[in-house]
Amino acid sequence: MIVVIDTNALLQALGNHSHVRPLLDAWFSGRLIWAMSNDIQHEYEEIITRRSGAARWQRLEMMLDLVAGTRPETLRMATPTFRFHQIIDDPDDDKFVDCAIAAEADYIITSDHHFDVLIGSGYKPQPITPEEFIRRHVT
C-alpha cells in the first residue's frame, strides 16, 4: 500500500508516545510505502524545523536516509510532471495531491479537510485521517 503523509499527520506521528505513532511504525516495518516528492520533503523540513527545531528535522532526515538505504522499497520519491490544482482552498496542499497521483498512492494521510474535495473525484488517492488509517490498515 502506498501513502502520502501530509505534514500535519507527520507532526502528530513524530511524538514517541503519540496515538498515531503506529503510522511510522508500519512504515519502519515495511507494511507500507511512503511516497514523497522534493516539494513535500522541503515542506517537512521547513515546518518541522520551525515548530520543533533543526535537531528534530535532522533526526527525521537521518531516519529517512537509513530506511531508504536498508529498505529502499518502502520509500518512493515521486516527480510529478503535472499540476492537478485540486485544493482550491489551500493551493499549497496541491503538492501532496500531485505526488499521490504521480506515485499511484492509495491514500493521503491527513487531518486537513481541504483534501475532502478528492472524495468521489475519480482520483485513486483518497484522503484518510491518521486514526482511520491505523484502525483499518495497521492494527
Side-chain angles (χ1 to χ4, degrees):
M1 174 174 324
I2 304 168
V3 301
V4 170
I5 304 174
D6 189 16
T7 308
N8 64 51
L10 178 59
L11 285 168
Q12 290 178 56
L14 285 174
N16 289 332
H17 303 291
S18 169
H19 68 288
V20 296
R21 177 67 183 202
L23 176 62
L24 289 181
D25 295 339
W27 174 63
F28 293 144
S29 65
R31 291 184 285 161
L32 62 86
I33 298 167
W34 184 356
M36 71 177 74
S37 65
N38 285 332
D39 287 344
I40 291 172
Q41 193 167 0
H42 289 134
E43 177 168 311
Y44 289 164
E45 179 179 8
E46 176 189 340
I47 302 299
I48 292 169
T49 299
R50 183 173 21 148
R51 292 190 183 175
S52 303
R56 175 156 258 182
W57 165 249
Q58 290 166 350
R59 284 193 302 272
L60 176 60
E61 190 174 38
M62 286 179 8
M63 180 178 51
L64 290 167
D65 290 344
L66 175 68
V67 173
T70 57
R71 287 180 176 242
E73 70 280 1
T74 65
L75 186 62
R76 180 173 295 178
M77 290 302 291
T79 307
T81 58
F82 187 80
R83 305 292 179 213
F84 292 90
H85 304 288
Q86 290 297 297
I87 312 296
I88 299 192
D89 291 337
D90 189 356
D92 194 45
D93 285 337
D94 275 327
K95 68 177 74 65
F96 295 95
V97 176
D98 297 342
C99 176
I101 293 170
E104 299 180 353
D106 299 289
Y107 295 105
I108 299 173
I109 301 175
T110 184
S111 297
D112 186 340
H113 291 289
H114 291 136
F115 289 90
D116 289 351
V117 299
L118 293 175
I119 298 170
S121 68
Y123 290 112
K124 179 181 177 185
Q126 291 295 291
I128 190 169
T129 65
E131 296 83 2
E132 184 65 16
F133 183 84
I134 291 166
R135 188 181 69 71
R136 285 189 199 175
H137 301 288
V138 176
T139 55

